[in-house]
Amino acid sequence: MDANGLESLPADELHERAVRYAVRHGDLGFLWELLKVIPAAEAASGHANETANDLSKVSALLSDAIAAGEGKLGEALRPVYLDYLRKHPDA
C-alpha cells in the first residue's frame, strides 16, 4: 500500500498491519521499538499511571504491544506504525 493509502487508515488498522507483519517476519527489532515507545505514548495519551507499570513489568509491555492499536494509545503510536509500514509496503 502506498504512503497516501496508509495515511487514510485508522490507528487500529495500522497497528494490526504493522504487528502482524512484524510477527510473521520475525521482526523483533520493530516489536522491541514498539515496546520502548509505548510508555511515552501512554503518557501522551493521558494514561500516565500506566507508564510506571509498563516500565517495571515486561509482561505488561508485551501485552500492550499486542493491543496498542486502539483509542488514544493507537493514535499516539500512529507515527510508529506509519514509519514501519512505509518501510514494508507489502505488509
Side-chain angles (χ1 to χ4, degrees), residues 19-35:
V19 170
R20 183 178 56 229
Y21 184 87
V23 168
R24 194 171 54 234
H25 290 88
D27 190 348
L28 297 177
F30 172 74
L31 295 173
W32 182 247
E33 184 63 28
L34 183 58
L35 293 176

Side-chain angles (χ1 to χ4, degrees), residues 6-90:
L6 288 174
E7 289 288 344
S8 68
L9 295 175
D12 61 339
E13 177 66 18
L14 293 171
H15 164 80
E16 182 64 29
R17 285 175 177 245
V19 170
R20 183 178 56 229
Y21 184 87
V23 168
R24 194 171 54 234
H25 290 88
D27 190 348
L28 297 177
F30 172 74
L31 295 173
W32 182 247
E33 184 63 28
L34 183 58
L35 293 176
K36 291 189 318 186
V37 299
I38 284 174
E42 283 189 331
S45 65
H47 297 103
N49 57 332
E50 288 295 318
T51 303
N53 291 336
D54 287 347
L55 292 173
S56 64
K57 297 179 183 178
V58 172
S59 62
L61 286 173
L62 292 172
S63 175
D64 283 350
I66 300 304
E70 298 177 9
K72 291 181 181 179
L73 179 57
E75 289 302 323
L77 291 168
R78 187 179 175 79
V80 175
Y81 300 134
L82 284 167
D83 181 58
Y84 184 72
L85 291 167
R86 284 182 185 121
K87 292 175 185 171
H88 302 282
D90 59 327

